[in-house]
Amino acid sequence: MAQPQFASSQVASELGATEHRIVITNKHGEKLVGILHQTGSNKIVVLCHGFTASKSGIIVDLADAITRQGISIFRFDFSGNGESEGEFQYGNYRKEADDLHSVVSYLNQDKYDVTAIVGHSKGGDVVVLYASMYDDVHTVVNLSGRFYLEKGIEERLGKDFIDRINKEGYIDVTGKSGKVLYWVTKDSLIERINIDMHAASLCISKECSFFTVHGSSDELIPVEDAYEFAKHIPNHKLRVIEGANHCYTAHRKELSSAVVDFIMSNKAADTLLAKDERVLINCC
């Protein structure tokens, strides 16, 4: 099912980690392509990219910061994105949560302990949905996810998007050059609008340790959305990074430090809990 291939990079070598290209098949038979940063530890964090993005960019910076702590990383492209198979869709939130489940299941079967899942932007919404659907990863990090998914559509599709999509059944989204970047179907638009992040947030177990990070100067998703996640997710910690934009362009180090500190603090707590349980068993 997976097809590992050895690869190397200067960064991975400097960090004492090796990189392997891994291909995992999702429930729809599509191949998801990812990079495994192997530090020698079976503790692993899965990183999820945002809308029209891939396993590169901000995801690589996070991978480097986490592997420096000796924790392995898996970063991958959702179906229809990057190197992965499948058709790109405007919505696909639940399908991407299923893609993530295929990845977590594969890693668990390969004897890894998935310590945390981290998602940026749309990937943040995906990890929220994942935590509400599955109860197998107990540390979750949402970076700049959107709470109100019915918002932000007009900015991308134009003020008359409802009339256009009702008439044509789809909308072509073009760049400044006029080139079509992607197209939005009526079904994919409806799927996004119908995703209820409020209900999903309330479904997350209190045993799940949840962390939301958001930039105070996010130009795409208002920081107020982060406060909504904080209000409704039971076991939640919020960090607002002052002055940071949506991609944390000038605040990558601060973002990476916040994510690493949260993951390491939860890892330490889990280790202490496991030690206490062993002591209790021995005493009995």
Side-chain angles (χ1 to χ4, degrees), residues 138-156:
H138 297 126
T139 300
V140 179
V141 181
N142 158 35
L143 308 177
S144 306
R146 186 183 292 278
F147 189 84
Y148 295 108
L149 287 173
E150 69 276 14
K151 296 183 179 180
I153 299 173
E154 184 177 298
E155 289 81 353
R156 288 188 186 272

Side-chain angles (χ1 to χ4, degrees), residues 94-211:
R94 293 195 182 279
K95 185 184 179 189
E96 291 186 0
D98 286 337
D99 284 350
L100 179 54
H101 189 240
S102 295
V103 167
V104 171
S105 297
Y106 168 78
L107 293 171
N108 286 336
Q109 291 168 13
D110 206 33
K111 309 303 181 186
Y112 283 97
D113 176 10
V114 181
T115 302
I117 52 176
V118 180
H120 174 245
S121 193
K122 184 184 180 186
D125 290 316
V126 171
V127 298
V128 172
L129 286 176
Y130 187 94
S132 73
M133 296 162 64
Y134 304 100
D135 192 27
D136 55 0
V137 180
H138 297 126
T139 300
V140 179
V141 181
N142 158 35
L143 308 177
S144 306
R146 186 183 292 278
F147 189 84
Y148 295 108
L149 287 173
E150 69 276 14
K151 296 183 179 180
I153 299 173
E154 184 177 298
E155 289 81 353
R156 288 188 186 272
L157 306 185
K159 291 183 178 180
D160 60 343
F161 73 91
I162 293 178
D163 291 337
R164 290 167 59 204
I165 209 161
N166 281 331
K167 180 179 179 181
E168 303 292 339
Y170 68 94
I171 295 174
D172 286 331
V173 179
T174 58
K176 293 181 179 179
S177 66
K179 180 182 178 180
V180 176
L181 302 177
Y182 57 90
W183 60 302
V184 180
T185 64
K186 186 174 182 178
D187 287 343
S188 67
L189 179 62
I190 291 172
E191 190 240 2
R192 167 171 167 156
I193 292 172
N194 286 339
I195 295 289
D196 188 345
M197 298 308 291
H198 174 263
S201 297
L202 293 176
C203 286
I204 296 174
S205 169
K206 64 180 180 180
E207 302 303 319
C208 177
S209 185
F210 205 102
F211 187 37

Side-chain angles (χ1 to χ4, degrees), residues 217-268:
S217 300
D218 192 318
E219 72 283 12
L220 296 180
I221 300 173
V223 69
E224 286 76 18
D225 283 37
Y227 290 101
E228 292 300 317
F229 285 116
K231 188 187 302 181
H232 300 292
I233 295 175
N235 182 8
H236 187 281
K237 180 180 179 181
L238 174 63
R239 169 75 181 276
V240 175
I241 297 182
E242 290 300 321
N245 64 10
H246 188 65
C247 289
Y248 301 87
T249 308
H251 297 80
R252 291 286 174 89
K253 288 185 178 180
E254 193 172 351
L255 171 67
S256 295
S257 294
V259 173
V260 166
D261 288 349
F262 183 77
I263 290 173
M264 294 304 292
S265 65
N266 278 279
K267 182 172 177 283

Side-chain angles (χ1 to χ4, degrees), residues 1-4 21-27 29-35 74 76-77 84-85 99-107 109:
M1 189 163 139
Q3 302 168 10
R21 184 175 185 270
I22 303 291
V23 179
I24 298 171
T25 304
N26 69 9
K27 64 186 290 186
E30 298 161 339
K31 293 178 180 178
L32 308 176
V33 179
I35 302 297
F74 187 72
F76 73 103
D77 296 324
S84 293
E85 293 180 346
D99 284 350
L100 179 54
H101 189 240
S102 295
V103 167
V104 171
S105 297
Y106 168 78
L107 293 171
Q109 291 168 13

Side-chain angles (χ1 to χ4, degrees), residues 73-85:
I73 284 290
F74 187 72
R75 54 186 174 92
F76 73 103
D77 296 324
F78 285 115
S79 53
N81 292 266
E83 295 183 278
S84 293
E85 293 180 346

